[in-house]
Amino acid sequence: MTKILSAYLSRLWKDKFFWLAMLFMAGFGVFLTLNQYNNQQLLQQRGLVETTDLALEQYCFFFQWVIGGVAALVSSLFLGLEYQDGTLRNKLIAGHSRTSVYLAGLIINLVSALALCFCYSFFSCVIGVPLMGGFQAETGTLLLLLAGNLLAVAAYCSLFTLIEMLTFSRTGAIVLTMLVFFGMLVLSTFLAGQLMKPEYISIASGVDESGNLIFSQDLPNPSYLEGPLRTVFQTIVNLLPTGQAFSLAGGGDESLPLLPLYSLGLIALTTGLGIWGFRKKDII
């Protein structure tokens, strides 16, 4: 597997699309960080915050919102070339085991995805730290954030590798990985929106003498999720990498300690299924 990884790394270093993706992540990091700073300035001008300072952990992990789509394209184009050029078949003929070939593909996908994330965070910090300040969270929270972000990216890579290594067509791999990413994004956004609905709401009950609306006392929100259904929705959001982004991108929330465990479970499941399917696949 070492020889395969060495060849993959050499090819990745020369891959033009990978470097275009790196450029995109760098530019995206600068853009979002400056946008966040401008938002803080507006809030300060309106008296809603006292300073433009913002904890680094609240903006340097924003790559979670896009890394799934970018990694899907980069990895599909990279591994898809293995089928297209017949080099995957040659590796098997040369005596490499299917497990080692599969794991090498997973590792190179993880390396490229983490490089993209690092590129985003590096330029986000270069711009953001002088303007808004550094980390403010406790060491334990920061370690959980780092572990959560690393494993969420690994979960994306594990899922995409499964699709790419079991799909003969390079185009088919791109389409399937993108459909899976956007499907997870839509589902997790919908479920998170349901979970964010408040337990109590205020309803306008009239108008006072000055023409201002009079709001009733807090009333139970009929749309508020509770019981087993809320547990199911929260579990799905925590399991999907796109759902974890709601916590990880913003510096973490109460679900942060559980996210690495959900990611590890998804990685184990998709990697196990991928290796099993790749061993059964008719390639030679």
Side-chain angles (χ1 to χ4, degrees), residues 227-242:
L229 186 59
R230 185 174 187 87
T231 301
V232 171
F233 276 33
Q234 187 66 63
T235 300
I236 296 174
V237 169
N238 289 344
L239 179 64
L240 297 177
T242 47

Side-chain angles (χ1 to χ4, degrees), residues 11 80-90:
R11 185 156 69 85
L81 194 63
E82 294 285 288
Y83 278 116
Q84 181 175 300
D85 293 350
T87 52
L88 182 63
R89 183 182 292 107
N90 294 338

Side-chain angles (χ1 to χ4, degrees), residues 205-258:
S205 58
V207 181
D208 61 17
E209 296 178 355
S210 302
N212 298 317
L213 289 174
I214 300 175
F215 289 92
S216 62
Q217 295 181 346
D218 289 343
L219 300 174
N221 184 359
S223 299
Y224 179 76
L225 292 176
E226 54 186 345
L229 186 59
R230 185 174 187 87
T231 301
V232 171
F233 276 33
Q234 187 66 63
T235 300
I236 296 174
V237 169
N238 289 344
L239 179 64
L240 297 177
T242 47
Q244 293 185 15
F246 286 95
S247 172
L248 296 172
D253 56 21
E254 66 276 1
S255 64
L256 180 60
L258 295 175

Side-chain angles (χ1 to χ4, degrees), residues 85-135:
D85 293 350
T87 52
L88 182 63
R89 183 182 292 107
N90 294 338
K91 289 182 175 65
L92 297 176
I93 294 174
H96 296 288
S97 70
R98 294 199 177 209
T99 299
S100 64
V101 171
Y102 187 95
L103 291 177
L106 173 59
I107 292 171
I108 197 63
N109 279 348
L110 182 58
V111 168
S112 63
L114 290 178
L116 293 167
C117 296
F118 176 79
C119 186
Y120 176 99
S121 293
F122 175 79
F123 284 96
S124 177
C125 291
V126 167
I127 298 296
V129 170
L131 295 175
M132 293 182 285
F135 288 115

Side-chain angles (χ1 to χ4, degrees), residues 83 92 97-103 106 158 161-163 165-167 267-283:
Y83 278 116
L92 297 176
S97 70
R98 294 199 177 209
T99 299
S100 64
V101 171
Y102 187 95
L103 291 177
L106 173 59
S158 180
T161 302
L162 181 151
I163 296 171
M165 296 298 280
L166 300 182
T167 305
I267 292 167
L269 176 64
T270 51
T271 301
L273 288 174
I275 292 175
W276 176 83
F278 190 61
R279 284 177 173 176
K280 300 289 185 180
K281 191 174 182 63
D282 184 16
I283 299 174

Side-chain angles (χ1 to χ4, degrees), residues 183-203:
M184 292 193 301
L185 182 62
V186 170
L187 176 61
S188 57
T189 300
F190 168 76
L191 296 180
Q194 297 300 308
L195 291 169
M196 290 177 184
K197 290 183 177 180
E199 187 173 1
Y200 297 97
I201 55 176
S202 298
I203 301 175

Side-chain angles (χ1 to χ4, degrees), residues 36-54 58:
Q36 190 76 359
Y37 175 68
N38 290 333
N39 290 338
Q40 286 294 107
Q41 282 189 314
L42 289 175
L43 291 174
Q44 184 186 35
Q45 291 171 4
R46 295 172 182 175
L48 299 177
V49 296
E50 297 180 357
T51 176
T52 57
D53 289 350
L54 188 68
Q58 291 182 295

